[in-house]
Amino acid sequence: MSEERGLSGSRTAENLKTAFTEEAALAARARAFAELAEHEGEQALAAAFRDLSEGGETLIQGSLDFLRSCADPDSGIAIAGARANLRSLIHTEARLGERVYAQMARAARDEGFPDAASWFETLEKLKASRLRRLRELGDV
Amino acid sequence: MSEELSASDVVVLPGLEAVRRNPWMYIGSVGEDGPRRLLREAIDNSLDEALAGACTRVSVRLDGERAAVEDDGRGIPTEIHPESGVSACEVVLTRLHAGTKFERAPGRWRAGLHGVGLSCVNALSRELRVEIFRGGQAFAQDYARGRPLGALARVGATARRGTTVSFRPDPEIFRDFRGFDAAAAREALAELALLLPGVEFSLEAGGAREIFSGAEGLEGLLARASAGERALTDSPVRVSLGGGELALEARLSWTTGRDFAAKSFVNCVPTPLGGTHLAALRAGAARAVNEMMAETGAAAPGEESFGVDEAADGLRAALDLRLARPHFEGQTKSRLTSADAFAPIAAAVREQTLAYFRADPAAASVVAARVRAARRERLAVGRALERVYFLRARTGIDERVYKEQFGARSRNWHDSAKWITDRELLDAHAAMCEMPAGARALDVCCGSGVVGAAFRGRVASVQGLDLTPEMIALARTRLDEVRQGNVYDLPFPDASFDLVCTREVLHLLPGPERPVAEIFRVLKPGGQFIVGQILPYSADDAPWMFRVFKKKQPLIFNMFQEEDFRRLLTGAGFRPPAARELRVWESIDVWIDSYETTPLHRREIRRLYREAPAEARAVHPFEIAADGTIRDLWRWVVFSARKPG
């Protein structure tokens, strides 16, 4: 009989994070593709894509169900109540807003895509605004 | 022959309190569309009688803030409702989801809001009176804010039959309501007359009575859908589909217009946001066009088939769908979501449109040429989009992209958006002028020259500069002199002008630092730069606005926020700018009806407004009317920056 241990730090936990992220991205793509298919008059495909997107929510949340027993897939903070979860979201918004989007904007500008750079900068500013709001909630 | 209604035909589902608490959930808006919606609900109540073949006349009277809708139908049942102990009429007027339409009799089409209609009107009216003429007796009952002031009373004998509902919207709910809009009622009744030619629709307003003719039928609705455009064929395609639970009449016509537009109705209720029935109509028409082009040799063997956007470009349609069990998105029924309706409608449209083409080869040939022109335009837009990515901030811009786009737009430049000629906005730019009367001004990227022309009388001369020959020709009618040139490399010596102005340009330019530096260079020491720009209200609406603007205009390179713009100016050496903010309503429907915005992008922009995220809605005002039209209160900021003396 195998020794009983938690998910934290396991390869399975990493795989659950991957499943969570991949399914979230797939559902978002399917939702966008459904809109495009509907515009093209491909009603049957639009309905199938929409079903895929809506069904995806169960798959996304299913992986998160497992991760609840260890930690948030991005921040690593335990999923243990609204206050802890708020800290997790602040962690991600700060990571994206204070580092990631600024780097992406610089890269886009260097490669000659000023509109994409402006998009990343717009996201960076939104993240700063959201962070302010979330931190205020944390203060409360 | 219609059957008589009785009290036991009325089915009751509970609850009306929520309507006054959250009226927008039931009628979509408490703005100017709200009272219009109430009137429409009252009309729809009579329409149900017309659709059941039980009435021949519907009349509407408008008198300031009061409206009355009268029909000669069977009359709302007056008997005591067996489950409620009050009259069936009172049940209909005070309970949500009370009404005969839940009976679901096969083959019956219903217009009202699944029984929400009259009770909503009652709940949201300061006063309402219902008069019923039924079985030789006249009855009346009065209400205030949804509550009965007494029981339904018999008021005498009568030979009439029918129902009259008169009401006054509650000013506590509709705070900006100042009276009913006769024009909107006229439009709605005229369309209903065309849908139901056997019923007389009339309007009394402002001391006059109009009766609307339904003689033209669906052809009349098609003419309304294609107003101002020329039909390319002698007669429209006629599509008919009859069946137990779905019946369709449609007319289709390819025109000189752009994109696809339709007047569509489900059970006589307008569906301005379209839905399954219009998606099916477009798909069916596209299939017919592709088959026709293959049969006639208009398409080369192996050629990529024509997409819905190409086949339906310029297509106008009038569609009257009757459905026994329609499903809609939202309580106000503006979009049909009944998936089952798609296949039969698409098949009928395909089959009957193809038969039309086969019977009229000349019409088929004209439509084939129209569809091919749509493909050429799509490819041209696609090429422009591809070329955008060959632009490089450091190596300058590809002038062809701007010349092509603004050259095409010059044909209707002043009609292509409200802001372009908005007097208050132009005056706001001119009012910032601090230069003496003898000053020389330059309008950079001047377009038709309206901004520079706003400075006339404040400065001695205004010169213009633009890249596009067609725009230069327009500007020459307004400015003293106009030259062709590129803002990245202004064709003027240093310190040539006292004032430079421009508006809504810098966001279109990659590397805007360089044109601003050029403007700084050509200004004299102490000179003034006046520049107007649409900006997001905050960081919270900026990503949403970025998507809207980028879909409208692929040449957008910068979604400036106010601090970015100030930094851009001070970074070039200007003193910290003064700014004046003003807000201007823009018609989004007009703004996106342009060469550079594809049909897909137009659709996506409308959806972005309908589904705007809460964080954007919280700071950025816009309105979506019941007919689906959108207007946005844009935030304009006019900056004035001085070059150090």
Side-chain angles (χ1 to χ4, degrees):
Chain A
M1 195 168 163
S2 67
E3 190 185 338
E4 192 178 315
R5 59 193 176 94
L7 266 174
S8 288
S10 67
R11 234 179 78 202
T12 300
E14 286 306 311
N15 290 341
L16 285 163
K17 286 184 203 174
T18 305
F20 173 78
T21 314
E22 295 261 3
E23 291 296 347
L26 177 67
R29 280 160 59 217
R31 192 164 60 245
F33 292 171
E35 291 302 322
L36 293 173
E38 192 175 291
H39 180 69
E40 291 163 20
E42 296 281 3
Q43 205 69 8
L45 287 177
F49 295 166
R50 198 161 283 120
D51 288 351
L52 203 71
S53 168
E54 286 168 9
E57 189 63 18
T58 300
L59 312 190
I60 298 161
Q61 297 300 334
S63 293
L64 197 61
D65 285 345
F66 278 101
L67 292 169
R68 281 193 204 175
S69 68
C70 45
D72 175 78
D74 184 58
S75 67
I77 297 169
I79 299 177
R83 293 279 148 187
N85 295 342
L86 175 62
R87 284 202 303 280
S88 273
L89 295 179
I90 287 175
H91 168 90
T92 306
E93 295 282 17
R95 182 173 61 75
L96 294 172
E98 292 168 358
R99 294 190 301 278
V100 173
Y101 286 133
Q103 289 165 2
M104 289 180 176
R106 271 197 299 279
R109 227 169 265 292
D110 287 347
E111 290 184 334
F113 299 109
D115 49 352
S118 182
W119 171 244
F120 290 133
E121 285 160 359
T122 304
L123 297 184
E124 184 187 351
K125 292 190 182 90
L126 176 71
K127 297 288 149 180
S129 173
R130 282 186 178 174
L131 263 180
R132 272 194 301 277
R133 290 202 301 269
L134 291 175
R135 281 177 175 147
E136 279 167 20
L137 286 171
D139 292 343
V140 175
Chain B
M1 187 75 186
S2 60
E3 297 159 19
E4 285 304 307
L5 288 177
S6 71
S8 60
D9 289 330
V10 175
V11 179
V12 183
L13 299 173
L16 182 60
E17 306 77 19
V19 181
R20 283 185 69 83
R21 264 204 312 275
N22 297 305
W24 46 88
M25 280 181 61
Y26 297 86
I27 57 165
S29 161
V30 292
E32 62 182 37
D33 274 329
R36 238 181 255 169
R37 188 80 230 166
L38 295 190
L39 177 59
R40 182 71 205 207
E41 292 308 322
I43 293 171
D44 285 352
N45 182 63
S46 293
L47 269 188
D48 281 345
E49 289 295 275
L51 284 165
C55 101
T56 61
R57 186 173 56 77
V58 176
S59 59
V60 173
R61 277 194 312 277
L62 301 181
D63 181 11
E65 295 177 13
R66 299 191 67 87
V69 179
E70 181 181 314
D71 67 54
D72 63 351
R74 293 165 291 185
I76 300 173
T78 53
E79 300 83 356
I80 296 298
H81 188 266
E83 288 167 26
S84 312
V86 297
S87 71
C89 161
E90 187 170 323
V91 170
V92 167
L93 280 156
T94 58
R95 313 277 174 92
L96 270 192
H97 306 299
T100 56
K101 54 208 62 155
F102 279 91
E103 296 301 297
R104 300 293 187 209
R108 296 281 174 83
W109 330 116
R110 303 288 182 186
L113 277 179
H114 301 300
V116 175
L118 268 191
S119 55
C120 264
V121 178
N122 192 20
L124 301 176
S125 291
R126 181 165 140 176
E127 58 225 36
L128 180 143
R129 181 176 176 81
V130 59
E131 294 164 278
I132 298 166
F133 310 96
R134 179 179 165 88
Q137 303 289 325
F139 303 84
Q141 191 176 20
D142 290 291
Y143 292 83
R145 298 194 164 103
R147 296 182 186 283
L149 299 178
L152 181 72
R154 186 176 289 125
V155 292
T158 182
R160 283 175 63 184
R161 55 176 244 158
T163 305
T164 302
V165 176
S166 47
F167 63 98
R168 183 175 173 191
D170 190 346
E172 282 182 8
I173 306 282
F174 306 102
R175 294 178 188 279
D176 300 326
F177 179 57
R178 299 288 176 270
F180 279 99
D181 175 6
R186 185 175 294 115
E187 176 79 10
L189 293 169
E191 289 180 353
L192 287 171
L194 294 166
L195 286 166
L196 295 165
V199 180
E200 178 191 286
F201 289 88
S202 65
L203 172 68
E204 269 183 70
R209 180 162 187 264
E210 293 169 73
I211 297 175
F212 299 95
S213 165
E216 292 176 24
L218 271 192
E219 274 75 4
L221 276 174
L222 182 63
R224 284 166 172 261
S226 53
E229 294 152 356
R230 187 170 56 79
L232 299 179
T233 56
D234 293 337
S235 60
V237 183
R238 300 166 69 94
V239 179
S240 293
L241 178 63
E245 303 219 329
L246 183 154
L248 171 77
E249 277 294 325
R251 303 290 180 269
L252 286 70
S253 175
W254 275 265
T255 71
T256 52
R258 194 206 308 273
D259 214 346
F260 169 75
K263 288 273 183 192
S264 64
F265 298 82
V266 176
N267 298 348
C268 294
V269 175
T271 46
L273 300 183
T276 321
H277 51 335
L278 288 189
L281 183 141
R282 278 161 42 94
R287 285 172 204 162
V289 163
N290 276 296
E291 287 179 53
M292 173 271 284
M293 291 182 77
E295 282 178 13
T296 60
E303 185 178 5
E304 181 195 348
S305 65
F306 291 84
V308 173
D309 278 346
E310 293 167 330
D313 196 35
L315 180 62
R316 300 293 175 263
L319 183 147
D320 175 11
L321 177 65
R322 310 283 166 97
L323 262 185
R325 274 178 283 274
H327 296 286
F328 295 94
E329 184 180 279
Q331 189 66 272
T332 53
K333 294 190 165 185
S334 36
R335 181 179 168 87
L336 183 74
T337 56
S338 302
D340 292 349
F342 186 89
I345 295 174
V349 172
R350 177 204 149 267
E351 184 185 314
Q352 293 174 47
T353 306
L354 192 56
Y356 167 89
F357 287 141
R358 285 173 179 157
D360 188 345
S365 165
V366 169
V367 170
R370 178 71 185 81
V371 169
R372 192 157 285 291
R375 168 159 291 185
R376 276 196 300 275
E377 185 167 314
R378 182 179 69 84
L379 292 175
V381 171
R383 277 197 300 276
L385 289 172
E386 283 164 14
R387 245 184 261 154
V388 162
Y389 277 110
F390 290 104
L391 306 181
R392 291 292 182 273
R394 294 196 183 88
T395 56
I397 61 164
D398 184 338
E399 294 184 359
R400 285 174 303 170
V401 176
Y402 293 84
K403 282 180 181 168
E404 263 183 27
Q405 188 179 116
F406 289 97
R409 288 188 65 189
S410 67
R411 289 195 288 274
N412 69 336
W413 179 241
H414 285 186
D415 296 326
S416 66
K418 182 177 173 296
W419 65 266
I420 295 171
T421 54
D422 185 87
R423 198 66 252 166
E424 188 191 1
L425 186 58
L426 290 168
D427 288 345
H429 285 72
M432 303 286 267
C433 176
E434 296 166 351
M435 292 292 110
R440 285 188 70 210
L442 171 68
D443 183 355
V444 170
C445 301
C446 63
S448 63
V450 287
V451 178
F455 287 83
R456 281 193 172 284
R458 293 177 188 267
V459 295
S461 67
V462 185
Q463 193 164 342
L465 180 105
D466 204 275
L467 202 55
T468 313
E470 293 89 337
M471 288 293 189
I472 291 167
L474 292 175
R476 285 196 171 129
T477 64
R478 293 186 178 83
L479 306 180
D480 297 300
E481 186 190 342
V482 186
R483 290 175 64 170
Q484 186 172 20
N486 185 329
V487 68
Y488 286 81
D489 187 14
L490 291 175
F492 305 107
D494 296 357
S496 298
F497 298 96
D498 301 288
L499 184 145
V500 174
C501 61
T502 193
R503 184 177 62 159
E504 194 61 359
V505 162
L506 292 169
H507 64 306
L508 300 175
L509 303 174
E513 296 81 7
R514 196 164 128 193
V516 173
E518 276 292 276
I519 288 166
F520 186 86
R521 180 183 67 75
V522 302
L523 272 172
K524 294 176 185 170
Q528 187 183 12
F529 178 32
I530 296 175
V531 50
Q533 192 69 38
I534 302 166
L535 297 178
Y537 283 81
S538 76
D540 294 339
D541 63 330
W544 170 77
M545 217 171 131
F546 192 116
R547 293 192 68 203
V548 170
F549 275 65
K550 187 72 175 166
K551 284 182 188 298
K552 191 290 175 181
Q553 167 58 283
L555 289 178
I556 284 184
F557 289 95
N558 314 289
M559 177 50 71
F560 294 117
Q561 295 184 31
E562 188 169 339
E563 66 271 22
D564 303 323
F565 212 86
R566 289 180 181 277
R567 214 167 27 242
L568 177 67
L569 297 173
T570 53
F574 286 104
R575 292 206 173 115
R580 181 183 163 196
E581 184 176 327
L582 67 164
R583 298 176 182 195
V584 179
W585 283 107
E586 183 61 57
S587 162
I588 298 304
D589 305 278
V590 172
W591 178 60
I592 64 178
D593 182 19
S594 75
Y595 162 80
E596 71 271 12
T597 314
T598 63
L600 172 63
H601 284 172
R602 282 193 272 275
R603 174 191 167 103
E604 289 179 327
I605 288 169
R606 291 195 171 98
R607 194 166 191 101
L608 277 166
Y609 275 95
R610 289 204 303 278
E611 297 175 358
E615 57 194 349
R617 281 178 189 272
V619 296
H620 189 127
F622 63 83
E623 290 180 356
I624 303 176
D627 65 359
T629 54
I630 303 166
R631 64 179 196 147
D632 189 338
L633 190 62
W634 278 348
R635 176 185 178 230
W636 279 88
V637 182
V638 184
F639 295 92
S640 164
R642 299 292 287 265
K643 183 173 179 176

